[in-house]
Amino acid sequence: MVEEILRVEGISKSFGAIKALSDVSLILHKGELLAIIGDNGAGKSTLLKIIAGVYSPDSGKIFLEKKEVKFKSPMDARKAGIEMVFQDFMLCPDLNVTQNVFLGREIVSGEFLNYKLMKKILKEKLKDLKFDIPSIEKKVRFLSGGQQQMVAILRTLMFDPKVLLLDEPTANLSAGASEQVMNFVKQLIKTKMIGGIYVAHDLNAIIRYSDRILVMRSGRIIAEKMPEETNPVELVRLMRL
Ligand SMILES: Nc1ncnc2c1ncn2[C@@H]1O[C@H](COP(=O)(O)OP(=O)(O)OP(=O)(O)O)[C@@H](O)[C@H]1O
Ligand SMILES: [Mg+2]
């Protein structure tokens, strides 16, 4: 775990009078799953959204593979290889799995959507990722919460991201589904050697799955812990100090 894939330097962001982030810096390495924890309103989602090009920072810099990047939109960030799974899945329930996966990035041949080709590419991707989903032609509304979360993640993987940002990917899932999602994410990050940042509240799962833990409080990173050297009691104490 040596090579840096993403670096954030001195990011600050205010929303009116609210200082959501103050001088936040972090480094993410290839093949690393970094967890960010903190109480509600600590600034976790804002930080991920800045990295993903949803918001622009008031100050600070972002480097992807050691080159500075300035994103004007999430599309810019996606083109550069940064993908985010949002706190709410943002899927279209009445579209099927394939349509959701290619939403906004549909493959067009001439004037028409090439649905057949999208299906073919998706099937190959599923095979490559060893990913199990009931039917790629099923409407997303008929899938379980865990399956929907997997579709949301799958959507970010179609274009081989360098950095994957996951904002509470298991918040609404059963214990079994959470485990399935996190095992998949962890394995993906290791086999593809991408960088992952994951925000969550389940401290036991964080200790189990992450390679490193950053603790945020009131818009700042206030501690860094290795999972094998900490425990949920200490983490809660740090979050609340
Ligand atoms: N678009 C916005 N406009 C105004 N204020 C915002 C906006 N987004 C976030 N904030 C504020 O910034 C602060 C940080 O919010 P953020 O969503 O980043 O917290 P969080 O750590 O993700 O919390 P949670 O665990 O509840 O998801 C909060 O005070 C929040 O109210
Ligand atoms: Mg949040």
Side-chain angles (χ1 to χ4, degrees), residues 1-236:
M1 231 193 336
V2 274
E3 224 175 317
E4 151 187 331
I5 188 144
L6 179 84
R7 182 153 44 99
V8 168
E9 267 183 21
I11 295 276
S12 295
K13 176 76 179 173
S14 295
F15 296 106
I18 296 170
K19 186 123 203 195
L21 296 176
S22 304
D23 195 21
V24 169
S25 300
L26 64 82
I27 291 179
L28 177 69
H29 303 95
K30 288 187 180 168
E32 182 181 40
L33 182 57
L34 179 66
I36 299 185
I37 62 169
D39 265 339
N40 296 120
K44 307 178 299 295
S45 296
T46 305
L47 176 58
L48 292 197
K49 284 178 183 168
I50 285 176
I51 297 170
V54 178
Y55 301 138
S56 31
D58 297 338
S59 55
K61 291 179 177 177
I62 299 172
F63 298 84
L64 182 64
E65 293 178 315
K66 305 204 166 161
K67 284 192 210 84
E68 188 175 359
V69 287
K70 284 184 179 157
F71 303 132
K72 291 198 178 66
S73 70
M75 231 3 163
D76 271 2
R78 290 175 117 185
K79 278 188 198 137
I82 297 181
E83 291 277 353
M84 176 158 172
V85 178
F86 290 86
Q87 212 163 345
D88 34 16
F89 307 158
M90 306 226 293
L91 297 174
C92 296
D94 281 315
L95 297 182
N96 71 29
V97 172
T98 308
Q99 290 163 325
N100 266 285
V101 164
F102 284 94
L103 199 66
R105 290 189 282 198
E106 289 85 356
I107 297 172
V108 181
S109 302
E111 294 172 37
F112 300 101
L113 291 182
N114 195 336
Y115 185 64
K116 222 171 138 179
L117 182 56
M118 288 190 267
K119 268 190 355 189
K120 183 167 173 274
I121 292 172
L122 178 54
K123 274 188 197 154
E124 280 165 12
K125 194 79 190 173
L126 288 168
K127 208 189 263 176
D128 169 44
L129 295 171
K130 300 185 181 61
F131 196 102
D132 193 23
I133 225 149
S135 160
I136 60 172
E137 293 190 85
K138 210 171 187 176
K139 278 189 184 176
V140 154
R141 68 158 70 246
F142 299 121
L143 301 181
S144 73
Q147 289 167 337
Q148 291 189 26
Q149 187 60 284
M150 295 296 252
V151 173
I153 294 173
L154 190 56
R155 184 162 68 180
T156 67
L157 301 180
M158 292 309 292
F159 300 86
D160 298 325
K162 295 172 180 160
V163 172
L164 185 58
L165 308 172
L166 300 142
D167 198 354
E168 307 205 19
T170 56
N172 303 307
L173 304 185
S174 68
S178 298
E179 205 169 299
Q180 198 190 344
V181 167
M182 287 317 299
N183 278 327
F184 175 77
V185 166
K186 180 102 193 197
Q187 194 221 333
L188 177 89
I189 284 169
K190 299 295 165 201
T191 54
K192 305 273 176 191
M193 286 303 279
I194 64 179
I197 305 182
Y198 139 67
V199 167
H201 290 280
D202 178 347
L203 300 176
N204 287 307
I206 280 164
I207 287 170
R208 173 157 165 214
Y209 290 108
S210 69
D211 296 310
R212 187 156 56 95
I213 303 167
L214 298 179
V215 186
M216 285 189 78
R217 201 171 60 226
S218 310
R220 294 178 185 278
I221 293 172
I222 52 105
E224 175 177 304
K225 290 280 161 191
M226 298 309 276
E228 60 278 12
E229 291 166 356
T230 189
N231 58 67
V233 175
E234 183 189 39
L235 292 176
V236 168

